[in-house]
Amino acid sequence: MKNCSIFLIVAILANGTLNAQSFKKGSLLISVSEGTTYTHYVITDNNTNPGVVKDYNWNGDRDPLFIEYGISKKWGIGLLMGGDIFHINPSTYYNTSSKDNKIITSELTLEGSYHFYNTRKWDISGCMGLGFAGVYFNGYNGDAVNTKYNAGGNIIRLSGKARYYPFKRFGILGILSTYAESCTPDPTKNSLVKLTKTNISGYAIEFGLCYRVRR
């Protein structure tokens, strides 16, 4: 009888632990993070020398915002907004003049997440996102008229996210992701190097904070 009672208590506690999940259907999460992106940056220049390709390895700063909603106890869908900043002078790498000391990339990604390990304190998920990307910097042409490089395209990002909740709603976040994007200038947006394409691939490491608004 004593053994049966112990078994019953353990079963109740185990069931309670399994049901005490930090991510649930109806959960609404907001996450902000900062980190470093390590990239292989490829510039295809068809302005004066058709087909010329320049490639570089750069590090940049990353600052995204992510919102996710739980559509089931395992699956979530979210929106990632943010980008990377490369602290370099564009004129060194593009065939143009620029006083900027940075190149800015942006992304708006729809992301699906599968939460394969989910307890009261821990939430670990694998994610895949598809969306829009952009590359931007200021410059000027041969007549000293201010203009800009504004290229747009698509991005795919695969990531793993780990959240730990020391409090009921506030948590800390770690992200490891890999991505690839391809951007082509839009002549209607006053692009100063209209035939110069930019392809970026690499990975990013981020840390930040998360807050569970609902549930």
Side-chain angles (χ1 to χ4, degrees), residues 137-207:
F137 64 83
N138 289 307
Y140 54 90
N141 61 21
D143 298 323
V145 176
N146 290 331
T147 183
K148 57 190 176 183
Y149 178 77
N150 197 329
N154 300 311
I155 184 171
I156 180 171
R157 184 179 294 274
L158 303 175
S159 61
K161 299 179 182 179
R163 296 180 176 91
Y164 175 74
Y165 291 92
F167 305 102
K168 181 178 180 180
R169 294 188 180 274
F170 280 99
I172 55 178
L173 169 70
I175 305 174
L176 177 63
S177 66
T178 182
Y179 67 99
E181 63 182 271
S182 179
C183 297
T184 303
D186 184 351
T188 64
K189 294 185 177 180
N190 196 28
S191 176
L192 54 87
V193 276
K194 297 180 180 180
L195 298 178
T196 302
K197 299 180 180 180
T198 301
N199 295 322
I200 308 173
S201 61
Y203 67 96
I205 301 174
E206 307 164 53
F207 297 95

Side-chain angles (χ1 to χ4, degrees), residues 16-34:
T17 302
L18 289 174
N19 290 329
Q21 295 180 331
S22 56
F23 181 85
K24 305 174 183 177
K25 182 179 180 180
S27 292
L28 180 62
L29 306 178
I30 299 176
S31 304
V32 292
S33 60
E34 290 188 356

Side-chain angles (χ1 to χ4, degrees), residues 23-31 65-81 109-116 118 123-128 159 161 163 165 173 210-214:
F23 181 85
K24 305 174 183 177
K25 182 179 180 180
S27 292
L28 180 62
L29 306 178
I30 299 176
S31 304
L65 167 69
F66 181 70
I67 301 173
E68 182 181 1
Y69 178 75
I71 58 177
S72 74
K73 65 179 182 179
K74 290 288 188 180
W75 290 94
I77 188 169
L79 192 65
L80 188 152
M81 300 160 283
T109 306
L110 183 65
E111 189 170 273
S113 304
Y114 181 72
H115 297 253
F116 57 87
N118 188 10
D123 177 15
I124 301 177
S125 60
C127 315
M128 184 179 76
S159 61
K161 299 179 182 179
R163 296 180 176 91
Y165 291 92
L173 169 70
C210 56
Y211 179 72
R212 190 168 62 239
V213 179
R214 295 178 56 187

